[in-house]
Amino acid sequence: MLTAHTIKILQSLDKKKFRQKYNLFLVEGNKIISELPQSNFKVKEIFSTDPQKLDRTNIPVIGITENELKKISFLKTPKDSVAVCYLPEEARNDDKDVQLVLDGLQDPGNLGTIIRLADWFGIEQIICSEDTVDVYNPKVIQATMGSFTRVNVVYTNLVDYLSKTENINVGTDMEGENIYTFERPEKINLILGNEGNGMRPETEKFLQKCITIPRFGKSQSTESLNVSMAAGIILGQLFSRSK
């Protein structure tokens, strides 16, 4: 049975300050939880309505009721289990040949989808501005569908990072080079801006190339694409032309 104190702590983990205070975050659903043992993430305990489905001899699995699950879940339709995990120490690896750089993304669903895209295309690291939505936000974790365990997400000062990286900094712009004819540099940072405001001027200063996704519709009236949709199109094209 869950105590009122434990429920209060778990409910608070939807906010970054409490995730940092308790050094914890939540992972929901057996499907995603099953990917944790193959990762570097450490699990503190698991609360489940069906403990028999989770074969975890080295991790406490605590049986709870459906009603208790609803109290600690951040999903509209709670799944079977909730894993309480320790926040890892953040570490930036050496620059990879292909990286994503995110400038001020705020929507958890967009970040989660972009992490999932990175995993699909084998991109091992994403560099984020310090004000980009937190990767351990429950909505981000859910949207990654487990891909957060395979993609390193780093938060840093982008101006400082972009001024020193040896990768070619490539951004999106309506006047940029057509993505379907663009030759991918051997080492590339694909920079994606905020959902509403795009890239900040101080980030744009470090762009070495710009690309665009041409519109094919007759009306040509759609102003822009959702950032995660654009990322999927661009990555698909960049990798289809890779050497």
Side-chain angles (χ1 to χ4, degrees), residues 4-209:
H5 179 66
T6 299
I7 291 172
K8 186 177 179 181
I9 290 174
L10 298 183
Q11 287 176 338
S12 75
L13 298 180
D14 65 331
K15 293 183 175 60
K16 184 177 179 180
K17 67 177 181 179
F18 290 112
R19 290 195 290 274
Q20 292 177 333
K21 176 182 177 179
Y22 297 114
N23 196 40
L24 299 170
F25 73 101
L26 298 186
V27 177
E28 299 198 44
N30 286 347
K31 187 176 185 300
I32 303 178
I33 291 171
S34 68
E35 300 197 36
L36 292 170
Q38 288 78 47
S39 74
N40 294 323
F41 289 93
K42 293 182 180 178
V43 182
K44 179 176 182 282
E45 56 196 352
I46 299 173
F47 298 100
S48 179
T49 56
D50 192 356
Q52 283 71 35
K53 285 187 177 178
L54 291 162
D55 182 23
R56 300 284 179 272
T57 54
N58 58 334
I59 299 167
V61 180
I62 300 155
I64 59 173
T65 65
E66 294 279 355
N67 192 46
E68 287 175 318
L69 180 65
K70 287 177 183 177
K71 290 180 181 178
I72 63 172
S73 174
F74 295 117
L75 301 175
K76 287 183 180 178
T77 307
K79 306 227 172 159
D80 25 47
S81 307
V82 173
V84 184
C85 303
Y86 293 104
L87 290 174
E89 287 189 22
E90 186 180 281
R92 190 169 95 210
N93 299 323
D94 293 338
D95 279 358
K96 307 298 181 183
D97 287 351
V98 182
Q99 293 185 147
L100 294 174
V101 176
L102 309 181
D103 185 14
L105 261 68
Q106 295 300 301
D107 184 86
N110 281 335
L111 178 57
T113 300
I114 287 170
I115 292 170
R116 197 173 176 187
L117 280 167
D119 186 24
W120 183 267
F121 286 101
I123 296 171
E124 298 174 8
Q125 185 161 258
I126 296 175
I127 309 293
C128 297
S129 63
E130 291 164 325
D131 63 341
T132 290
V133 61
D134 183 31
V135 62
Y136 299 110
N137 178 306
K139 292 179 181 176
V140 176
I141 293 294
Q142 200 63 36
T144 71
M145 293 302 293
S147 289
F148 76 94
T149 63
R150 292 178 291 275
V151 179
N152 189 36
V153 180
V154 180
Y155 291 80
T156 190
N157 182 300
L158 281 195
V159 169
D160 183 55
Y161 169 73
L162 294 173
S163 67
K164 295 175 181 175
T165 180
E166 294 183 7
N167 285 18
I168 301 296
N169 295 322
V170 178
T172 56
D173 187 277
M174 294 300 286
E175 305 301 318
E177 186 177 338
N178 188 325
I179 183 61
Y180 298 111
T181 57
F182 177 72
E183 290 291 336
R184 189 183 99 188
E186 190 174 332
K187 295 180 177 290
I188 177 176
N189 286 328
L190 175 61
I191 306 173
L192 301 167
N194 172 271
E195 291 89 346
N197 303 316
M199 220 174 291
R200 279 174 274 224
E202 54 264 40
T203 304
E204 286 183 339
K205 285 193 291 189
F206 294 99
L207 293 182
Q208 291 152 290
K209 292 179 182 291

